[in-house]
Amino acid sequence: MAEVVRFVVPAGRGKTLLVWGLSPGPTAEALQHALFAAFSRFGLLYSVRVAPNAAGAAPGFHAVVKFYSARDARRAREACHRQPLGQKAPVKVLTGTRHWGFQQRDLVLSSSKCRDLANYYLGFNGWSQRVLLLQNLSGFDEQENSAAELPCSGRRLQYLCVVEVALSGYACQSRGVGMAEEHVSHRAELLGKVKETQKLAVQKALSNAFQKLQFVVLESGKVVVECRSSGDSELEEGVEGLLQVRDVPEEQARPGQEEDCPSDCSLGAE
């Protein structure tokens, strides 16, 4: 059977595993890395979170492991349930059964997580990104010699970005739009804020471009890419109508990798 993998934060009972019976000996950080190594053998992980057991329960830890694929999560549960996973006593691995009374809205995946997902299913050379537009909407020049024009009360620095993602093995391109703004309160911080705002706008545009793609993973492991309809089509048409789209040199506009939250232990998002 085919499974759809989307560029959103994984949700649903089939993609979350609960690990019980972790030894109290190692630190939570050590357990986090050990579990990441153990479960990542079965597929790409979104996060691994380890926490101490509640007061009154047996001493030790439990963990929540999230996969992007429900099929990978099922394989991991079947292989790891009642296995020691690096400790003396076996652990219990169960499928998460928490159910919300209302439908949750899909949470946008960060740009670094989008890169991880694309690299996993397409390979590092299977896709590319191109910044088509990086536009200053602030109403003042960001160059150093104009910093004196900044009012003492500060200004809002705004940038609009359009990014195109192209998949080399498929006849598929997706464009995303991102806007970022920062408040500049001192003239001395203007240049640093410009770079920070540009980077954030590119990251948001890249994430938005990936939201319009999804993978259909077949049982054989073959991956089919689908381009989904975009809710931002009107915005993109408006951007192209008002602003001249231009190529930005890659070395000038490409942002660095986003820093991951240590508690997620994505080792490679959000």
Side-chain angles (χ1 to χ4, degrees):
M1 296 180 61
E3 179 179 8
V4 176
V5 178
R6 299 171 56 201
F7 285 86
V8 297
V9 175
R13 292 174 290 178
K15 300 178 181 180
T16 302
L17 298 180
L18 305 178
V19 184
W20 301 97
L22 295 171
S23 170
T27 65
E29 182 178 0
L31 285 172
Q32 196 164 261
H33 284 273
L35 290 176
F36 184 91
F39 284 101
S40 61
R41 296 183 292 115
F42 301 96
L44 184 63
L45 298 178
Y46 171 75
S47 65
V48 176
R49 297 185 179 181
V50 176
N53 294 335
F61 296 89
H62 64 277
V64 178
V65 180
K66 282 191 176 184
F67 284 84
Y68 287 96
S69 163
R71 182 184 301 160
D72 294 341
R74 183 179 67 252
R75 292 172 51 241
R77 180 186 60 81
E78 294 172 351
C80 297
H81 183 54
R82 298 194 182 281
Q83 298 298 316
L85 296 185
Q87 64 180 33
K88 294 182 179 180
V91 300
K92 294 181 180 180
V93 181
L94 308 174
T95 302
T97 57
R98 186 174 184 179
H99 179 72
W100 299 94
F102 58 92
Q103 184 177 1
Q104 287 183 290
R105 180 181 178 182
D106 290 332
L107 300 179
V108 175
L109 207 60
S110 69
S111 60
S112 63
K113 291 286 190 181
C114 288
R115 291 188 187 97
D116 291 342
L117 195 57
N119 289 338
Y120 184 80
Y121 284 104
L122 301 176
F124 289 95
N125 297 322
W127 66 279
S128 62
Q129 72 178 71
R130 183 168 58 125
V131 177
L132 300 179
L133 176 80
L134 193 56
Q135 180 75 34
N136 181 2
L137 304 180
S138 309
F140 62 91
D141 193 357
E142 71 272 21
Q143 298 300 321
E144 184 176 8
N145 57 11
S146 66
E149 302 174 6
L150 188 69
C152 296
S153 58
R155 291 284 295 271
R156 285 198 176 275
L157 186 64
Q158 292 182 320
Y159 270 88
L160 174 71
C161 180
V162 179
V163 166
E164 181 181 76
V165 171
L167 310 185
S168 58
Y170 305 84
C172 180
Q173 294 85 32
S174 175
R175 288 187 180 183
V177 178
M179 182 178 293
E181 69 174 36
E182 290 284 347
H183 181 75
V184 183
S185 56
H186 302 288
R187 295 167 183 168
E189 66 179 5
L190 177 60
L191 292 182
K193 287 290 187 178
V194 165
K195 294 180 180 179
E196 182 179 339
T197 309
Q198 289 177 338
K199 176 180 177 179
L200 184 58
V202 174
Q203 290 172 345
K204 287 185 175 181
L206 179 62
S207 178
N208 181 251
F210 274 118
Q211 307 310 309
K212 303 163 191 176
L213 304 174
Q214 65 183 19
F215 297 133
V216 179
V217 185
L218 307 180
E219 190 71 35
S220 62
K222 183 179 179 180
V223 177
V224 178
V225 177
E226 290 186 352
C227 295
R228 301 166 55 234
S229 61
S230 168
D232 296 320
S233 57
E234 295 182 1
L235 176 59
E236 292 178 12
E237 291 175 1
V239 168
E240 293 182 356
L242 294 175
L243 301 172
Q244 180 180 1
V245 177
R246 58 186 175 85
D247 287 341
V248 177
E250 185 175 0
E251 62 274 10
Q252 175 183 338
R254 173 173 292 183
Q257 291 284 346
E258 295 176 330
E259 293 184 0
D260 300 331
C261 176
S263 61
D264 286 344
C265 190
S266 57
L267 299 185
E270 196 167 39

